């Protein structure tokens, strides 16, 4: 037997997580660009951009749910 949310609604993520994700991504990119550009810097920039995209996705999905 599966327990959990049985009424068919999706779990909603708080928009605070989206804001934190965007800020953390910007912070990662700033750290990567502060020192000599190396392979680690490229990885940090990639993950920074990835977390910014995730944060924007969370905020956009939250706005779509609020607009309904």
């Amino acid at each position: 037997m599966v327990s959990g949310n049985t009424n068919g609604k999706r779990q909603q993520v708080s928009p605070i997580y989206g804001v934190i994700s965007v800020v953390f991504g910007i912070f990662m990119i700033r750290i990567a660009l502060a020192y000599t550009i190396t392979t680690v810097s490229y990885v940090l920039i990639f993950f920074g951009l990835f977390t910014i995209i995730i944060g924007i996705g969370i905020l956009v999905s939250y706005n779509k749910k609020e607009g309904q």
Side-chain angles (χ1 to χ4, degrees), residues 25 28-29 31-32 39-50:
M28 283 175 61
I29 292 173
I31 290 175
T39 306
V40 175
S41 299
Y42 291 127
V43 171
L44 276 177
I45 291 170
F46 173 75
F47 282 123
L49 289 173
F50 188 67

Side-chain angles (χ1 to χ4, degrees), residues 1-63:
M1 180 167 171
V2 177
S3 63
N5 197 357
T6 57
N7 59 1
K9 286 187 175 181
R10 293 181 60 193
Q11 283 293 100
Q12 186 166 345
V13 178
S14 174
I16 286 292
Y17 293 120
V19 173
I20 290 172
S21 177
V22 170
V23 170
F24 184 68
I26 292 170
F27 185 68
M28 283 175 61
I29 292 173
R30 277 193 68 191
I31 290 175
L33 295 176
Y35 302 108
T36 307
I37 298 295
T38 61
T39 306
V40 175
S41 299
Y42 291 127
V43 171
L44 276 177
I45 291 170
F46 173 75
F47 282 123
L49 289 173
F50 188 67
T51 55
I52 289 172
I53 291 170
I54 289 174
I56 290 172
I58 290 171
L59 293 173
V60 166
S61 68
Y62 180 76
N63 275 345

